[in-house]
Amino acid sequence: MGLSRFATVLALAALAGGAAAPASAQQKVLRIAMTAADVPTTTGMPNNGFEGMRFLGFPVFEGLFLWDLSRADRPATLRAGLAEHWEQDADDPKTWIFRLRQGVAFHDGTPFDADAVIWNLDRFFKPDSPQFEPAGSGITRARVTIMGGYRKIDDRTVAITSTRPASYFPYMLVYVLFASPPAWEKAGRDWGKAALSPAGTGPFRLSRFVPRQSAELSRNEGYWDAERRAKLDRVVLLPMPEANTRLAALRSGQVDWIEVPPPDGLPSLRGSGFEVTTGSYPHVWPWFYQMGGDTPFRDVRVRQGLNYCVYRAALVGLLNGTAEPSVGWLKPSDPAFGRPANRYGYDPARGKALLAEAGFTPQRPLSFKVLISTSGSGQMLPLQMNEFMQQNLREACGVNVSFEVAEWNTLLTALRSPPGNATLNGAASINPSSPSSDPSVMVRYFTRGAFAPTGFNWGQWTDEAFDKAIADLEAAKDEAAALSAYAAAHTRLVDNPPWLFIVHDLNPRAMTKRVRGFNSPQSWFIDLAAVDLAR
């Protein structure tokens, strides 16, 4: 059951050891090199952003909803997961009633039921619960910014309430994953020990975990959806944050698949018989502007001016065509892009004029620091790209940019921290990549209620017209009204920009010809269960 971004959302209301050893001739073992510097956490709410969710989230653990990753010709939508039926309460549209799927067991053999749902929700949203997990809670709360409450109705039914009616609430709940309560008890009620032997309900189970080195997933033979049982016997996940290291590992046969190959290596990979995949997906690579406190970004002319200074086409060329210019949070082809007055292109004269109006001239140039990462989920090639941006802004508009360089998880911690956090070391901008998949993401990145640490509005951006459009979206009763409100909200993101929009990633991957059945969906996530490996 697929859920389109609007119509069906509204209808919802009705390892092989430490090193990468060669694959066994008897088993199908897929070895993947990730961009992460460490193995994502394995407790059931992985760190390392959406790359963590891609490889150690959804393949092992599941939510009430799941992503439908079966098609590549449209943005991914939602489908039924551990809930087989749901509806909004007719008397209280803030409350959603979920009928849980029968016959589902965690990997440790214990049943998935309403008690397990409440236990996990307490784990994330109830700080005084014995099972409360601070790290997992911080990640989950930032993605589910309007959680109100929840209760068990019976063994197969739960009710979850949002703080306000919101048609997009399922798109937040998809990120709430469920782990086995008995597995935590068996680990001595210690999340550190539970990370070594967690139990989810997904098509793969964690069979081996070596911190900072590798993780191994094995097929869940008893997966509840018989038609989606994994074709692979095992998947070995290896952190390799440096792009050229990943490239060398693929060429030498140490791995079968790499995330984000270096753009200059793509022609030779294709020429050597490797498969290179790209595809449009909901992704933005921006700089966030900080507007809380005394920063130059309080002036909209500065924020607009910088958007006219970026030579996006040249950056796309540097990336060998593996990106698209970004002139908004959504792509211009999206029906919700709207009709903003500003259509950002490379126009240094206009950019310098706007900066001058704000008081920044060659005699008094704009100068600021950006917190950037060395690698990470969706970060593409951050060091090379940011060096390009530094030179581009200096040469085009006389802007002086310096960098504070951090590891990816350190940057994510700063993103979830209020302005002035010591990690920033004076940075007034930050460079995390962002999803742009649906209205729920827009809400948690740009609304007043999503200031860090509650959500991802790190810059503390506000806009009354945007707030009104979001309120109209939340109250929409039909697809046309929802789309109109979404477009009105996006128009404000372009004309009163909270970010410096730079590029959209085209999601490049490289793999051997032995990899079969891979579908590159318009999503940050992939269906590992559908992937096969020729012997």
Side-chain angles (χ1 to χ4, degrees):
M1 175 169 57
L3 308 181
S4 75
R5 191 163 58 185
F6 291 120
T8 323
V9 162
L10 293 166
L12 285 172
L15 222 112
S24 163
Q26 288 73 41
Q27 288 195 323
K28 297 177 181 178
V29 182
L30 177 69
R31 300 156 301 167
I32 299 176
M34 304 179 295
T35 69
D38 196 357
V39 180
T41 48
T42 60
T43 60
M45 184 44 62
N47 62 5
N48 276 281
F50 273 4
E51 186 174 53
M53 291 292 283
R54 182 183 308 137
F55 292 121
L56 278 165
F58 294 122
V60 181
F61 305 91
E62 297 177 307
L64 300 174
F65 299 97
L66 300 174
W67 287 103
D68 182 354
L69 304 171
S70 62
R71 294 176 57 172
D73 60 344
R74 68 180 187 189
T77 56
L78 299 183
R79 62 184 179 88
L82 296 179
E84 61 182 6
H85 176 76
W86 53 91
E87 61 184 358
Q88 277 178 292
D89 189 315
D91 299 322
D92 178 11
K94 294 186 296 183
T95 298
W96 296 68
I97 308 298
F98 296 92
R99 189 70 168 164
L100 305 181
R101 192 176 296 279
Q102 282 188 303
V104 177
F106 289 104
H107 299 146
D108 59 2
T110 60
F112 170 78
D113 55 19
D115 289 330
V117 170
I118 300 303
W119 186 92
N120 276 275
L121 292 175
D122 283 348
R123 165 195 176 186
F124 297 130
F125 295 101
K126 189 178 180 183
D128 62 350
S129 66
Q131 68 269 30
F132 183 69
E133 184 197 5
S137 173
I139 295 169
T140 305
R141 285 171 177 265
R143 291 172 179 163
V144 189
T145 58
I146 58 172
M147 175 65 77
Y150 43 86
R151 61 188 173 88
K152 173 183 174 180
I153 296 176
D154 58 41
D155 287 346
R156 286 193 58 207
T157 315
V158 296
I160 302 179
T161 302
S162 56
T163 55
R164 57 184 185 270
S167 59
Y168 51 75
F169 194 41
Y171 279 92
M172 289 186 170
L173 293 180
V174 72
Y175 299 111
V176 179
L177 305 183
F178 297 100
S180 164
W184 178 76
E185 294 282 354
K186 188 176 180 180
R189 296 190 160 202
D190 183 337
W191 282 114
K193 294 178 181 176
L196 300 176
S197 57
T201 61
F204 290 93
R205 60 181 179 84
L206 184 74
S207 51
R208 187 168 186 182
F209 172 59
V210 182
R212 295 173 296 281
Q213 186 170 301
S214 62
E216 178 186 285
L217 310 182
S218 296
R219 181 172 54 236
N220 175 13
E221 302 288 357
Y223 184 54
W224 57 267
D225 188 345
E227 294 182 358
R228 293 193 61 256
R229 286 179 183 156
K231 295 178 173 60
L232 296 166
D233 294 293
R234 292 185 290 144
V235 177
V236 179
L237 302 169
L238 301 157
M240 292 188 191
E242 210 283 316
N244 285 322
T245 302
R246 294 194 296 275
L247 178 65
L250 181 65
R251 286 189 172 281
S252 66
Q254 292 180 315
V255 298
D256 309 290
W257 165 326
I258 62 174
E259 297 284 282
V260 196
D264 58 3
L266 297 184
S268 63
L269 281 173
R270 291 188 177 102
S272 300
F274 291 96
E275 188 75 27
V276 176
T277 68
T278 58
S280 177
Y281 77 119
H283 172 283
V284 192
W285 194 89
W287 288 356
F288 291 15
Y289 297 132
Q290 177 55 254
M291 283 150 279
D294 184 21
T295 80
F297 303 124
R298 293 174 65 87
D299 193 320
V300 67
R301 294 169 297 186
V302 172
R303 292 181 269 128
Q304 291 175 340
L306 287 172
N307 269 293
Y308 283 109
C309 292
V310 180
Y311 194 2
R312 297 171 178 85
L315 181 53
V316 168
L318 176 69
L319 296 170
N320 208 356
T322 59
E324 303 170 288
S326 171
V327 294
W329 188 67
L330 297 172
K331 301 176 184 182
S333 59
D334 195 295
F337 186 85
R339 297 182 178 179
N342 290 274
R343 291 301 291 260
Y344 301 118
Y346 185 50
D347 191 345
R350 188 170 182 181
K352 286 188 286 188
L354 285 164
L355 292 175
E357 288 178 19
F360 296 102
T361 64
Q363 294 73 38
R364 182 178 176 261
L366 173 64
S367 302
F368 60 93
K369 182 188 286 187
V370 185
L371 179 66
I372 68 173
S373 67
T374 53
S375 65
S377 172
Q379 291 298 89
M380 306 176 70
L381 300 176
L383 297 180
Q384 299 93 316
M385 293 168 71
N386 279 302
E387 287 172 358
F388 171 92
M389 289 292 297
Q390 184 181 51
Q391 181 177 349
N392 167 199
L393 293 177
R394 182 177 63 248
E395 294 178 353
C397 293
V399 175
N400 297 320
V401 176
S402 60
F403 297 122
E404 181 74 18
V405 183
E407 191 271 330
W408 175 227
N409 275 313
T410 301
L411 185 145
L412 287 178
T413 299
L415 181 63
R416 292 191 289 267
S417 303
N421 180 268
T423 306
L424 296 171
N425 194 23
S429 180
I430 193 169
N431 170 228
S433 54
S434 160
S436 55
S437 55
D438 59 84
S440 77
V441 180
M442 180 182 278
V443 166
R444 56 191 176 89
Y445 273 85
F446 302 114
T447 57
R448 295 171 190 264
F451 286 3
T454 303
F456 288 100
N457 190 351
W458 174 84
Q460 299 192 346
W461 176 83
T462 60
D463 184 286
E464 290 186 5
F466 176 86
D467 293 341
K468 181 182 183 305
I470 291 296
D472 291 343
L473 172 63
E474 291 177 341
K477 300 298 184 185
D478 59 69
E479 184 174 4
L483 180 59
S484 176
Y486 196 26
H490 187 263
T491 294
R492 294 307 302 154
L493 292 182
V494 177
D495 285 338
N496 183 17
W499 296 354
L500 178 57
F501 302 112
I502 302 173
V503 293
H504 302 288
D505 187 16
L506 286 182
N507 210 13
R509 293 183 171 92
M511 53 194 71
T512 70
K513 292 287 188 181
R514 294 182 61 225
V515 178
R516 306 288 174 82
F518 172 68
N519 169 50
S520 184
Q522 293 188 40
S523 172
W524 285 66
F525 311 112
I526 57 174
D527 185 4
L528 270 181
V531 176
D532 204 350
L533 201 63
R535 296 190 186 277

